Amino acid sequence: MRKIIGLATATMIGSLMTSGLAMAETMPCETKLPIDIPSNCDAIKVIKPIEKLENFRPLTTPKNGPALKPQTVFRSDQLDNLTKADQEKLSALGIETIVDLRAPDELEKHPNKHISTVDFNINLPIGSDPADVKKIMPLDVASQIGPLWFSGKFDEIDQLLKDHNVDLYNTRIDRYKDFARKFTPQISRFMHVLLEEQNYPLVFHCAGGKDRTGYVAAVLMLSLGFSEEDVMCDYLTTNLYTYDELSKLVADGPHSLRPAFGAHKEQITAALQAVKEDYGSFDTYRREALGISDEELAHIKKNLLADPS
């Protein structure tokens, strides 16, 4: 049975998501760190109403783009470490559906906490965590990184990866292309979940809410009529939400591991370029690969946009 949420409580949580009254960090718009920052950085408020979720947020959209219905769809990192207060806040938002993009072994190791209002949990695994170094380089190499890292021997990490021809930059580019080419059934299923009005409010997430979630968010935004520039701003907003941790990882850390830290323009660009190479246009990809007709898209827009015309 679907839960009926107290209007006052839901409104309070919703206001935290939009008014900036929740925990907010100083935005790193002028950072000198070698990280990508969204072009509309000054207009973005970093608001974290859920204590144990670092990257929980609505889609970041411009004021001059299509207007999303508030408190309808959220992107997030994994929900495994929620406090009881966090669980109550998510319940207060009336979350009905959780779409988990993680691999089965990730779910087993880090199961999501229960949200009382959720009626529909669906797992659509889009490969393993792209940040899991044990799965993107030889195990004997990966096993050496931890001790070297904690000893501060970052130059030795760079040399280690060079000696073993480990190129994280191109490996990550290839992983993003895989999002577009190897996981079409999962992306299609996600888009079809959006057709059902009773599935909202909805949260979709992976481990860190950056890579797999970032690609799914890009597909959703382009389907709704947002531009690739809008998609890029939403994607790079992760670097604002995770800035404190990111600054520690890239400030003095090994250069060879930087492609795995944060959101990178060239990575999401590679995924979208793969779509164009294979299908000619995003609309053709949406229709032919994802199986979302123009009529079905109109229904999704009706569910998600304030003015779907």
Side-chain angles (χ1 to χ4, degrees):
M1 173 188 278
R2 297 188 180 274
K3 306 291 183 180
I4 299 176
I5 305 305
L7 178 60
T9 305
T11 301
M12 176 189 71
I13 300 298
S15 69
L16 293 180
M17 296 299 301
T18 57
S19 68
L21 297 178
M23 181 179 71
E25 299 173 356
T26 301
M27 291 183 294
C29 296
E30 305 301 324
T31 184
K32 302 299 182 182
L33 292 173
I35 60 176
D36 293 328
I37 296 299
S39 60
N40 61 340
C41 182
D42 289 332
I44 299 172
K45 293 181 180 179
V46 177
I47 303 168
K48 300 182 181 182
I50 312 298
E51 180 185 354
K52 294 298 184 178
L53 292 181
E54 193 71 13
N55 201 11
F56 175 82
R57 54 189 173 90
L59 297 175
T60 306
T61 56
K63 291 183 178 180
N64 60 350
L68 290 169
K69 292 179 181 178
Q71 303 175 51
T72 303
V73 63
F74 301 91
R75 51 178 295 174
S76 182
D77 41 332
Q78 63 193 22
L79 315 175
D80 65 317
N81 197 32
L82 300 176
T83 65
K84 287 187 177 181
D86 290 338
Q87 291 169 279
E88 291 171 359
K89 288 177 180 178
L90 289 169
S91 294
L93 284 171
I95 303 300
E96 292 279 359
T97 302
I98 302 291
V99 180
D100 194 330
L101 307 173
R102 297 177 297 164
D105 64 319
E106 296 176 83
L107 274 66
E108 183 177 353
K109 293 177 183 177
H110 304 285
N112 284 341
K113 290 290 183 67
H114 176 67
I115 309 300
S116 64
T117 54
V118 172
D119 279 349
F120 187 22
N121 280 283
I122 181 170
N123 179 216
L124 301 174
I126 303 181
S128 60
D129 184 358
D132 187 347
V133 295
K134 294 180 181 179
K135 295 184 178 180
I136 55 179
M137 66 181 66
L139 288 177
D140 61 327
V141 176
S143 65
Q144 298 178 61
I145 290 179
L148 290 173
W149 181 283
F150 290 113
S151 298
K153 298 178 180 179
F154 299 143
D155 289 341
E156 292 187 27
I157 292 177
D158 289 335
Q159 189 62 48
L160 173 69
L161 298 191
K162 181 178 180 181
D163 290 344
H164 289 82
N165 296 314
V166 176
D167 180 0
L168 284 189
Y169 178 88
N170 284 302
T171 297
R172 298 269 305 174
I173 292 290
D174 290 341
R175 285 299 307 275
Y176 268 74
K177 291 179 180 179
D178 286 348
F179 293 160
R181 290 175 167 154
K182 293 186 177 181
F183 302 100
T184 301
Q186 291 90 327
I187 307 296
S188 174
R189 180 71 178 109
F190 172 78
M191 292 298 292
H192 282 85
V193 167
L194 301 178
L195 285 166
E196 303 298 330
E197 186 177 356
Q198 68 267 23
N199 289 337
Y200 299 99
L202 176 150
V203 175
F204 64 99
H205 74 91
C206 53
K210 171 172 64 76
D211 301 308
R212 294 166 286 186
T213 298
Y215 179 70
V216 170
V219 170
L220 173 55
M221 291 183 69
L222 290 173
S223 297
L224 292 176
F226 290 95
S227 68
E228 287 194 13
E229 181 181 357
D230 297 335
V231 165
M232 184 64 73
C233 288
D234 177 69
Y235 174 71
L236 295 180
T237 296
T238 284
N239 290 346
L240 306 185
Y241 273 72
T242 61
Y243 180 75
D244 287 348
E245 179 183 7
L246 190 57
S247 62
K248 298 173 185 176
L249 293 172
V250 304
D252 300 308
H255 288 218
S256 55
L257 292 181
R258 283 181 181 173
F261 304 144
H264 298 265
K265 291 180 180 179
E266 63 270 19
Q267 293 177 8
I268 193 67
T269 298
L272 298 181
Q273 183 60 35
V275 168
K276 295 174 186 176
E277 291 173 359
D278 291 355
Y279 295 95
S281 71
F282 179 82
D283 279 343
T284 302
Y285 167 74
R286 186 256 302 167
R287 293 190 193 101
E288 296 184 0
L290 304 185
I292 295 294
S293 67
D294 292 348
E295 292 76 16
E296 287 172 319
L297 178 60
H299 196 73
I300 292 172
K301 288 182 175 181
K302 182 179 179 181
N303 287 338
L304 286 172
L305 298 180
D307 182 8
S309 58

